[in-house]
Amino acid sequence: QRSIPRHFSCPGTVAANFGSEEQPLGSAETGSEDKIPKKRFSEVQKERREQAQRTVLIHCPNNINEKKFLKYLSQHGPINKHFFYESFGFYAVVEFCQKDSVNSLQSEAHTPNKSTESAIPFKSRFLNLKLKNLSNQIPEQLSAQTNNQSPPSSKKLFELLNYAESIDDQLYTLLKTFQLTEENVRLRHLTCSLIEDIAAAYFPGCVIRPFGSSVNTFGKLGCDLDMFLDLDEIGKPNVHKVIIISFARCISSTSLHVRNAGNFLMEFQMKNVPSERIATQKILSVIGECLDNFGPGCVGVQKILNARCPLVRFSHQASGFQCDLTTNNSIALKSSELLYIYGSLDARVRALVFSVRCWARAHSLTSSIPGAWITNFSLTMMVIFFLQRRSPPILPTLDSLKSLADAEDRCILDGNNCTFIRDLYKIKPSGNTETLELLLKEFFEYFGNFAFNKNSINIRQGREQNKPDSSPLYIQNPFETSLNISKNVSQSQLQKFVELARDSAWILEQEDKGQPSPSSKQPWGLAALLLPPGAASPSLSKKKKKPMAEKVKGLLAAIKSNSADISKGSRGK
Ligand code: GTP
Ligand code: MG
C-alpha cells in the first residue's frame, strides 16, 4: 500500500469539511501564507498531483444527503476531504486517503443503460450518482452546503471595497475576494488529472501539468486553466519498474548496468515527422479528437493548430473551466515557477498584481479575446519590474535569483538558461516598508511617465534598457531573452494604458488630500479606480475634468515664463 504523505491526518473515519486545523497544501497558492511554511513550487505541484489522483468528481442529485453520501462512499475507504459545488448541476469532489479506494469505487460503478442514446464506454473518475429510491431521500434531511467557485458580483465587490478602512485594506480585500480558494485549486488539479486519464489512452505514462495563473499565485476565480501534455516522462527509462523486475527475477541489481553496458543500446521504434511543430500538431490533433469524442464533460473542443503555440481549447463543463491544452511547454512552467516565487516573497506583490489586473480589466485594457491588448502576464511583469525599482527594492532581479542558485537548481531548457534559486528561504526578505496605497499610486505614476518609446522592461536585470526594436511596448521574455512578451500590443492600446495610469495616479493623489472619506457612499480609493469609463460618480467626473484644466494652466504658465519644460508640464504630473 502507498504511504500517506505526512501532512494528511487521515483519521480512518469520514473527515470533516475544510476549515479544520489541517494545513492546506499550497499556502502561497491561496494566500494564507502568513503562518504556513512556504513550500517549493515543485513540491506543491507534486503533492497536488498526488492528491488529485486520489480524488473523484461526482455529479449528484441536488437534494443529496451529505451524511448518507459520505457513509456510502466510505465503504471504499476513508475520505480525507470533500466539498460540493454547483455548476450547471450539483457536484461533489471527494478525496480518498488512498488511491485503491478510487479503484474500488470504479469497479462498483455501472456503465449507463440508455435506450435511445449510445454511450461510449470509458471508465473515468468522473461519475454520476443516482438515487435508487427517490422517496427515501427528500424529506427531513438538509441538503449539502455548496462551495462557491465564482468571483463575487461587481455590486458585492464595490460594497466590500467601500466598507474597507483604508486603501491598503481595499487592496487586501480585493485579493482575498478574488484569489483562488483551496477548493478551486483542488478542482483545477483534479480537472488536469481527469484530462490526463483521457490523454493516457493514447500516451500511457503522459502527464498533464497545469501552468499559468492556476499555479503561479496570481490566479483569479474564473481564470482559465492552462495545462500542457508532458510526454518527457514517457521518454525516460522506467528505472523503478526495471528494479522491481530485476529483483523479481532474483537477478543482482548490477544487471541494471549490464543492460546498458557493452555495445548495445535499446531504443523504441517511432514514427518520424519532418519537424517538432508538425509532431506537436499531430499529437494535439489526436488528443483534441479524443477529448471531443470520448472525454466525459469536455465540450466545445477547438483545435487551434496553426497558432504560434498550437493548442486545443475546450470547456470542462462539470468544473466550469475554460481549458487551454498545449504540449511540452516547460519554459511556460518555469515562468509559472518564477512568478510563484515572486508572488510568495512579499504579501504586497499579489495584492498589487491583483489590483492592477482588475483595474486593467475594468477599463478594457485586457480582454479574453486575443488581439492588440496587453495581457495579464505582461501586467504582472510590469508590476514585478516596478517593485524591483523601488528603493530599497521589494523584489530581487532574476539575475540575483540566478546568482543565489545551487548546482541542483541549474536548468537549461531549449538552450535557454532558466536557472534561479528555488528555495524561498534562501532569499532575503526586503527591508522596504512602503504601503500598498503608496505603491499603487507610484505604479501609476511610474508607468504614466515611462519612456516606452525608448526603453524596454527587463525583470532579469531590473532596469530599463534600450528597446531592441520599434514595438510600442517591449517587455523582455525572462527566459527567451531575445523575445518580447508584449509584441502584440498596439501603440493605441499602450497610449490608452498610459492615459488611464495617469488619471488613476491623479485620483489617488486626490484621495491623499483627504476626499472623499471611507464612510462616504461614493466609491473611493480602489473602488473609484475600478469604475468603468462613464460610470464615474458625479464627484469623480468633476474631479476628472480638473486635471485637464490644470494641464492647460500649467501649459500657459510654462509659455508665459518661457522657461519651463513644456512637454513635462503637459503631463500634468
Ligand atoms: P490569466 O489571464 O489569469 O489566464 O493569466 P495567465 O498568466 O494564466 O496567462 P495566460 O493564460 O495568457 O498564459 C498562460 C501562461 O503562458 C502565462 O502564465 C505565461 O507563463 C505563458 N505566456 C502567456 N503569454 C506569453 C507570452 O506572450 N510569452 C511567453 N513566453 N509566455 C507567455
Ligand atoms: Mg491563464
Side-chain angles (χ1 to χ4, degrees), residues 188 211-216 218-220 222-227 308 313 324 329 331-337 339 357 366-368 375-378 380-381 475 477-480 483-488:
R188 284 171 188 270
F211 69 101
S213 59
S214 297
V215 295
N216 68 15
F218 297 110
K220 218 171 112 210
C223 70
D224 69 352
L225 173 54
D226 305 291
M227 52 177 95
R308 189 182 55 82
R313 179 165 286 171
D324 276 354
N329 209 345
I331 293 199
L333 188 65
K334 207 64 194 166
S335 303
S336 304
E337 179 166 19
L339 294 191
R357 282 184 171 203
T366 50
S367 164
S368 52
T375 62
N376 277 335
F377 183 55
S378 295
T380 309
M381 290 292 168
I475 305 176
N477 183 321
F479 299 123
E480 293 162 286
L483 301 178
N484 171 12
I485 65 160
S486 51
K487 201 175 170 185
N488 62 311

Side-chain angles (χ1 to χ4, degrees), residues 112-349:
N113 203 356
K114 289 185 177 156
S115 52
T116 50
E117 294 169 13
S118 267
I120 297 167
F122 183 72
K123 291 191 170 183
S124 74
R125 280 178 289 135
F126 177 20
L127 302 148
N128 197 21
L129 182 73
K130 289 196 161 167
L131 299 178
K132 277 190 193 156
N133 188 350
L134 279 172
S135 58
N136 252 349
Q137 289 282 330
I138 310 158
E140 83 280 22
Q141 311 285 0
L142 278 177
S143 52
Q145 289 281 311
T146 58
N147 184 282
N148 201 356
Q149 304 300 317
S150 327
S153 65
S154 317
K155 187 169 170 271
K156 178 88 191 143
L157 174 68
F158 278 99
E159 264 172 37
L160 286 169
L161 292 181
N162 259 12
Y163 278 119
E165 283 176 359
S166 61
I167 294 184
D168 275 44
D169 194 16
Q170 284 186 321
L171 267 81
Y172 282 122
T173 301
L174 185 88
L175 173 64
K176 269 193 240 149
T177 320
F178 277 103
Q179 71 187 353
L180 303 182
T181 59
E182 167 63 20
E183 292 82 353
N184 196 267
V185 170
R186 280 165 183 262
L187 193 52
R188 284 171 188 270
H189 286 268
L190 173 59
T191 304
C192 289
S193 187
L194 296 176
I195 301 302
E196 183 178 297
D197 289 351
I198 300 166
Y202 255 106
F203 299 107
C206 72
V207 181
I208 297 274
R209 300 191 193 282
F211 69 101
S213 59
S214 297
V215 295
N216 68 15
T217 74
F218 297 110
K220 218 171 112 210
L221 282 174
C223 70
D224 69 352
L225 173 54
D226 305 291
M227 52 177 95
F228 76 92
L229 174 70
D230 187 349
L231 299 177
D232 283 352
E233 295 295 317
I234 300 178
K236 290 181 191 155
N238 200 339
V239 177
H240 182 64
K241 270 192 192 150
V242 175
I243 293 171
I244 292 170
I245 293 165
S246 309
F247 279 130
R249 289 180 185 162
C250 299
I251 301 168
S252 116
S253 62
T254 51
S255 68
L256 261 178
H257 305 290
V258 173
R259 278 160 193 254
N260 293 327
N263 260 341
F264 297 114
L265 177 69
M266 197 67 87
E267 274 186 354
F268 288 104
Q269 282 280 352
M270 288 204 258
K271 188 149 189 158
N272 292 325
V273 289
S275 70
E276 203 178 325
R277 182 172 169 84
I278 295 177
T280 299
Q281 288 170 330
K282 284 189 182 285
I283 292 166
L284 283 178
S285 178
V286 294
I287 297 294
E289 287 295 313
C290 242
L291 293 175
D292 201 13
N293 291 316
F294 316 123
C298 300
V299 297
V301 180
Q302 285 173 273
K303 296 195 266 178
I304 309 170
L305 304 179
N306 287 323
R308 189 182 55 82
C309 182
L311 76 147
V312 174
R313 179 165 286 171
F314 62 97
S315 292
H316 191 257
Q317 218 172 18
S319 61
F321 296 133
Q322 176 73 32
C323 304
D324 276 354
L325 171 68
T326 52
T327 58
N328 290 357
N329 209 345
S330 36
I331 293 199
L333 188 65
K334 207 64 194 166
S335 303
S336 304
E337 179 166 19
L338 180 65
L339 294 191
Y340 170 90
I341 288 179
Y342 279 129
S344 311
L345 281 179
D346 189 297
R348 289 169 292 183
V349 182

Side-chain angles (χ1 to χ4, degrees), residues 26 36 43 95 151 166 254 257 259 276 279 283 333 343 348 352 427 459 493 524 557 566:
I36 300 164
E43 232 181 310
E95 181 204 326
S166 61
T254 51
H257 305 290
R259 278 160 193 254
E276 203 178 325
I283 292 166
L333 188 65
R348 289 169 292 183
L352 203 57
I427 308 167
I459 66 158
Q493 283 301 314
W524 60 278
I566 294 175

